[in-house]
């Protein structure tokens, strides 16, 4: 394996981590706001807050890690993506800022404040859409080089069916992932009412997720034939992903093993995400930027990898501790004792 | 959607600078608190355990609660500036990414570490039988917070003193990430940033305690808080002054144009006087206070030493001269806070009546905001003093900016965001402590523990 592939694999893994924990986070915010609107807040809020409160800051770091890492390993991405993404990513930052701070305001400052809950619920659900634009642009066709500078064609971007397919997928998948996770968490907390409600949400969002995911592959046939044919080469990964999806839905339907349902869901997204990533190889921005012509110098690459390994040595035990205390601790999950500062 | 013409770029450069400055100025308020307060919480918790005094434990707990709100805003604005570096300065990041990505990357690890343990710390109150275990959780929080500051300041130091590579025909070769990190600006910058963050956090917390004392409550709790924070503030403000002196010597040696602009030192000469305050009229300094030899002493520790003046630099490489005012603001506040906290400390130990008078407490209340102003002024001076360079001697700011034509719109959006966040923080923090005053919380805790605590 070359350093380039190692670098992009590490980053892709962290992006996956962000998408998974971020989706749980954003979806939970939306369900919390939605439950306020429909008068079901009593059922959901406790479950959602108990999981989210100790981890919301960690979620954000996955994103920071990804974008700092990509500039480190592939500095040329700053030139191409930095210039073109000013507007979509700035909107993403603003949503992120509103979501993060209003979550904290509501949770620690003014518990049960409706305005704050709506703000972070709404901002959270728009976030995946604004950030997924980056994936759309990476498919090529929206950026043009003028006088050696990349320029983004907004009109083309906003009228492309591919854009909207990815936006819809990101929202559907967010709600689906979040609902499946929270079903498991609520079940662990022995909260029957919340489990049933969240299970209903999970089943509702399963179908839109899989339909739009399939639709994007069809969409790519017109938009980027090269990528489409690469995807064909990785068909077993997408097949496994689909089977895992069926498994999750079946378990949810049968009201069994919610823990396994979530693990299968993780597998579904791992296979789909890495299949998609592998078929995108070697392009970071089609057709201008590959992982080879943008890779950093060997000295930096090696020092980044060394730091990365040392960092993981620090992080993995800490993350394990965090999960043991808040995800796998029965008393905490069931809400016995108020340990809040 | 036309972008990329030269007029557009000039505008983009201007708005990119304004937007970066706005974001950073807003962010550093929360970043400074974020670096300093965990240490204060740790000290309070430790003192509480050692003296077996419930007041200090409660102090730590209440600070921690308010701290979360400021952390939230610090995190999100930090994410904003992290992304804006690439969005607004793509050419800079492309070049610098090759050399300085290492500390940026390390900063995310420090941040990760802090985030994990802050979550654990906040949600394990009363979960451990032994409070000392709970105290241990604060060590990674405080370390993570301080090391974030260390690594990110190393990046900034690199911009002031780029090294660790060779530039041959526009190509970067012989890159050494460690040499880039250990640049000459690093030691003084890192030390100054960390120490002033501790100092500012201490004075901000002192200002809150003094305010509570002024507004009716005469509780022992606030008096302990005030004495503890003023003492810590005094220690770190003395440290800040010493490091500030080293920074002056660094500038004289490596970045003389910044020192000369900050000091309005036009001609290269020995026995150079230090100019305090004053107004600039053309090249003439009016109404200034001149301290003979002081600049030579600041720069080289020798009264007769020669200090390089602005005459040694081409006109288009001289930073704006208004940084002198920023320098004055920073130093004046620094000295003032050192004196104020020293008087308070001595006065409290010797039981002077003066230190518990209303007017003296108002001065302490004022100290918190003043320290924040000093932080802002210091950063503006350091950053504007590097103009016209983004990488001193290598890349000019105007060559680093984006070519996008939408920066002005983004500037408006971000300004609105910061207003919303700023108001939100104030409203939430006020409500948080108004609705749960300390007297009531002490009573509640006594009830919980059966009244045998104090």
């Amino acid at each position: 394996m070359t350093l380039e592939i190692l670098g992009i694999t590490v980053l892709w893994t962290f992006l996956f981590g962000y998408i998974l924990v971020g989706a749980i986070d954003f979806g939970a915010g939306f369900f919390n706001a939605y439950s306020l609107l429909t008068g079901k807040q009593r059922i959901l809020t406790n479950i959602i807050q108990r999981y989210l409160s100790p981890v919301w800051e960690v979620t954000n770091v996955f994103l920071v890690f990804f974008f700092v890492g990509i500039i480190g390993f592939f500095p040329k991405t700053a030139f191409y993506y930095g210039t073109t993404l000013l507007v979509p990513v700035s909107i993403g930052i603003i949503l992120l800022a509103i979501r993060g701070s209003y979550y904290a305001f509501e949770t620690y400052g003014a518990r049960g404040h409706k305005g704050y809950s709506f703000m972070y619920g709404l901002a959270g659900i728009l976030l995946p859409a604004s950030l997924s634009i980056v994936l759309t642009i990476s498919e090529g066709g929206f950026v043009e080089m003028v006088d050696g500078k990349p320029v983004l064609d907004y009109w083309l971007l906003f009228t492309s069916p591919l854009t909207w397919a990815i936006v819809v997928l990101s929202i559907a998948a967010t709600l689906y992932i979040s609902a499946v996770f929270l079903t498991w968490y609520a079940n662990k907390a022995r909260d029957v009412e919340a489990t049933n409600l969240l299970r209903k949400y999970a089943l509702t969002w399963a179908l839109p997720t899989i339909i739009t995911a399939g639709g994007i592959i069809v969409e790519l046939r017109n938009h980027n034939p090269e990528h489409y044919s690469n995807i064909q080469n990785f068909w077993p990964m997408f097949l496994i992903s689909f089977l895992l999806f069926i498994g999750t839905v079946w378990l949810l339907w049968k009201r069994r093993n919610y823990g396994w349902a979530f693990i299968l869901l993780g597998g579904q997204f791992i296979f789909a995400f890495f299949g998609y990533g592998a078929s995108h190889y070697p392009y970071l921005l089609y057709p201008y930027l590959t992982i080879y012509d943008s890779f950093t110098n060997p000295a930096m690459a090696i020092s980044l990898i060394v730091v990365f390994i040392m960092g993981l040595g620090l992080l993995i035990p800490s993350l394990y501790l965090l999960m043991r205390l808040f995800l796998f601790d029965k008393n905490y999950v069931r809400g016995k004792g108020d340990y809040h500062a | 959607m036309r972008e990329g013409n030269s007029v557009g770029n000039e505008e983009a450069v201007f708005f990119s600078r304004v937007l970066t400055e706005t974001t950073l100025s807003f962010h550093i308020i929360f970043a400074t608190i974020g670096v300093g307060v965990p240490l204060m919480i740790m000290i309070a918790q430790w003192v509480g355990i050692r003296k077996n005094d419930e007041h200090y434990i409660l102090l730590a707990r209440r600070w921690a609660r308010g701290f979360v709100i400021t952390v939230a805003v610090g995190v999100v604005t930090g994410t904003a500036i992290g992304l804006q570096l690439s969005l607004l300065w793509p050419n800079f990041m492309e070049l610098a990414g090759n050399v300085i990505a290492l500390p940026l990357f390390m900063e995310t690890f420090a941040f990760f570490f802090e985030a994990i343990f802050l979550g654990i710390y906040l949600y394990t109150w009363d979960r451990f039988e032994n409070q000392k275990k709970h105290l241990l959780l604060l060590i990674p929080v405080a370390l993570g917070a301080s090391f974030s500051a260390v690594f990110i300041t190393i990046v900034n130091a690199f911009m002031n003193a780029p090294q660790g590579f060779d530039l041959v025909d526009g190509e970067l070769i012989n890159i050494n990430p460690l040499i880039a990190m250990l640049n000459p600006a690093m030691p003084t910058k890192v030390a100054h940033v960390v120490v002033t963050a501790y100092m500012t956090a201490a004075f901000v917390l002192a200002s809150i305690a003094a305010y509570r004392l002024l507004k009716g409550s005469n509780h022992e709790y606030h008096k302990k808080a005030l004495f503890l924070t003023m003492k810590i503030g005094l220690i770190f403000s003395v440290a800040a002054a010493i490091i500030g002196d080293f920074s002056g010597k660094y500038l004289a040696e490596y970045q003389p144009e910044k020192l000369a602009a900050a000091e309005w030192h036009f001609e290269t000469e020995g026995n150079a006087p230090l100019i305090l305050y004053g107004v600039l009229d053309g090249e003439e300094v009016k109404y200034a206070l001149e301290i003979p030899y002081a600049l030579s002493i600041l720069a080289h520790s020798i009264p007769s030493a020669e200090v390089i003046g602005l005459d040694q630099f081409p006109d288009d490489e001289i930073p704006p001269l208004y940084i002198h005012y920023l320098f004055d603001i920073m130093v004046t506040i620094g000295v003032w806070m050192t004196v104020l906290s020293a008087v308070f400390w001595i006065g409290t130990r010797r039981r002077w009546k003066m230190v518990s008078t209303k007017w003296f407490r108002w001065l302490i209340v004022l100290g918190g905001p003043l320290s924040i102003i000093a932080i802002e002024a210091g950063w503006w001076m350091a950053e504007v003093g590097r103009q016209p360079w983004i990488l001193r001697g290598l890349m000019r700011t105007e060559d680093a900016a984006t070519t996008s034509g939408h920066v002005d719109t983004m500037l408006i959006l971000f300004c609105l965001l910061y207003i919303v966040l700023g108001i939100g923080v104030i409203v939430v923090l006020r409500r948080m402590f108004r609705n749960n005053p300390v007297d009531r919380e002490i009573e509640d805790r006594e009830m919980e523990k059966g009244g045998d605590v104090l």
Side-chain angles (χ1 to χ4, degrees), chain B residues 333-353:
Chain B
I333 294 175
V335 172
W336 165 246
M337 291 311 295
T338 316
V339 172
L340 188 73
S341 50
V343 169
F344 178 82
W345 183 67
I346 298 167
T348 311
R349 301 208 63 170
R350 303 226 166 147
R351 302 184 188 284
W352 292 350
K353 280 224 176 79

Side-chain angles (χ1 to χ4, degrees), chain B residues 44-45 47-48 51 53-60 224 228:
Chain B
Q45 182 109 342
V47 172
K51 291 190 175 174
D53 185 336
E54 191 77 5
H55 282 150
Y56 287 99
I57 304 273
L58 188 62
L59 198 58
K224 286 176 186 169
L228 179 70

Side-chain angles (χ1 to χ4, degrees), chain A residues 272-323:
Chain A
F273 194 73
F274 280 84
Y276 171 83
S279 63
H280 207 289
Y281 171 85
Y283 292 103
L284 288 170
L285 173 61
Y286 184 85
Y288 300 110
L289 198 63
T290 70
I291 60 172
Y292 295 102
D293 51 42
S294 62
F295 199 61
T296 189
N297 56 85
M300 181 55 83
I302 288 165
S303 54
L304 286 180
I305 288 168
V306 169
V307 165
F308 176 73
I309 291 168
M310 294 196 310
L312 283 189
L314 208 64
L315 286 187
I316 290 171
S318 320
L319 276 173
Y320 173 74
L321 181 66
L322 185 78
M323 293 211 282

Side-chain angles (χ1 to χ4, degrees), chain B residues 19-262:
Chain B
L19 179 48
T20 310
E21 183 171 7
T22 312
T23 303
L24 269 177
S25 300
F26 190 72
H27 174 65
I28 54 173
I29 299 173
F30 299 93
T32 305
I33 292 171
V35 172
V37 170
L39 184 76
M40 306 305 141
I41 299 175
M42 197 168 101
I43 293 172
Q45 182 109 342
W46 181 64
V47 172
I49 292 172
R50 234 191 44 163
K51 291 190 175 174
N52 197 14
D53 185 336
E54 191 77 5
H55 282 150
Y56 287 99
I57 304 273
L58 188 62
L59 198 58
R61 191 166 186 167
R62 285 173 72 88
W63 282 346
R65 231 179 272 153
F67 178 61
V68 194
I69 301 296
T70 59
V71 165
V73 180
V75 168
V76 296
T77 51
T79 311
I81 189 64
L83 277 161
Q84 277 177 358
L85 276 180
S86 300
L87 295 174
L88 299 174
W89 311 99
N91 300 314
F92 160 68
M93 282 306 273
E94 189 193 350
L95 180 74
N98 277 299
V99 195
I100 204 68
L102 189 61
L104 269 178
F105 201 59
M106 288 160 99
E107 200 253 345
T108 48
F109 276 114
F111 175 32
F112 221 141
F113 201 50
E114 181 197 347
I116 290 173
F117 282 94
L118 183 64
I120 298 178
Y121 175 77
L122 288 174
Y123 283 85
T124 49
W125 280 94
D126 303 334
R127 198 160 156 178
F128 297 113
E129 284 296 311
N130 189 345
Q131 273 291 314
K132 275 184 194 154
K133 272 191 197 162
H134 197 228
L135 172 68
L136 286 180
L137 291 170
L138 269 176
I139 296 171
V141 178
L143 274 181
S146 295
F147 272 95
S148 300
V150 168
F151 292 130
I152 207 66
T153 311
I154 289 177
V155 177
N156 182 269
F158 172 82
M159 294 163 84
N160 282 279
Q163 65 169 33
F165 59 93
D166 292 318
L167 197 63
V168 179
D169 302 327
E171 294 265 333
L172 293 170
I173 54 165
N174 295 336
I175 291 167
N176 188 332
L178 282 179
I179 303 275
M181 282 175 72
L182 303 173
N183 61 72
M186 189 272 267
T188 43
K189 254 197 192 282
V190 167
H192 198 66
V193 164
V194 172
V195 164
T196 50
Y198 295 154
M199 165 187 166
T200 303
F203 286 136
V204 167
L205 295 172
S207 150
I208 296 169
Y211 186 76
R212 292 316 311 161
L213 284 171
L214 272 168
K215 288 289 156 183
S217 176
N218 205 25
H219 203 286
E220 201 50 34
Y221 167 90
H222 296 301
K223 286 183 186 160
K224 286 176 186 169
L226 186 62
F227 187 66
L228 179 70
T229 48
M230 286 299 270
K231 196 162 76 178
I232 300 171
L234 172 63
I235 295 167
F236 286 116
S237 56
V238 171
I242 295 168
I243 297 161
D245 180 62
F246 290 148
S247 303
K249 292 182 170 47
Y250 159 79
L251 285 180
E253 183 75 28
Y254 293 93
Q255 232 175 333
E257 74 279 14
K258 191 191 266 185
L259 185 67

